[in-house]
Amino acid sequence: MAPGGTGGDKLYSWRSEEEFVFVVEGSVTVLLEGEEFVLLEGDAMTFDPRRLHTFRNSSATKQAQALFILSPPSV
């Protein structure tokens, strides 16, 4: 993610069971229905992606790298 890069200004949701985020480099802020979670390098979190959310690179000067994994909806 470029410095200041985001998943968009609007909150969005996915039709999936779970979302996993792992920060490989830098810092990523996850905004989840009004709450902010700042994840640093090596941090991870999971949440229900049906909840409104977005993300951003927390730094205005440094690049960030994160892995986002979604598990499909249960049948």
Side-chain angles (χ1 to χ4, degrees):
M1 262 178 268
T6 73
D9 292 332
K10 289 182 127 185
L11 299 177
Y12 61 89
S13 64
W14 296 109
R15 284 185 36 192
S16 296
E17 289 297 310
E18 189 168 44
E19 186 163 352
F20 171 79
V21 182
F22 175 74
V23 179
V24 177
E25 175 185 337
S27 177
V28 174
T29 299
V30 176
L31 293 100
L32 183 60
E33 292 183 341
E35 290 186 79
E36 286 192 5
F37 300 90
V38 179
L39 305 177
L40 305 176
E41 187 173 314
D43 287 345
M45 74 178 284
T46 60
F47 61 91
D48 183 340
R50 293 168 289 204
R51 295 175 63 190
L52 293 174
H53 65 284
T54 192
F55 64 89
R56 71 174 181 263
N57 180 343
S58 302
S59 175
T61 59
K62 295 181 182 176
Q63 191 161 320
Q65 187 175 37
L67 178 64
F68 292 80
I69 300 172
L70 293 164
S71 64
S74 58
V75 191

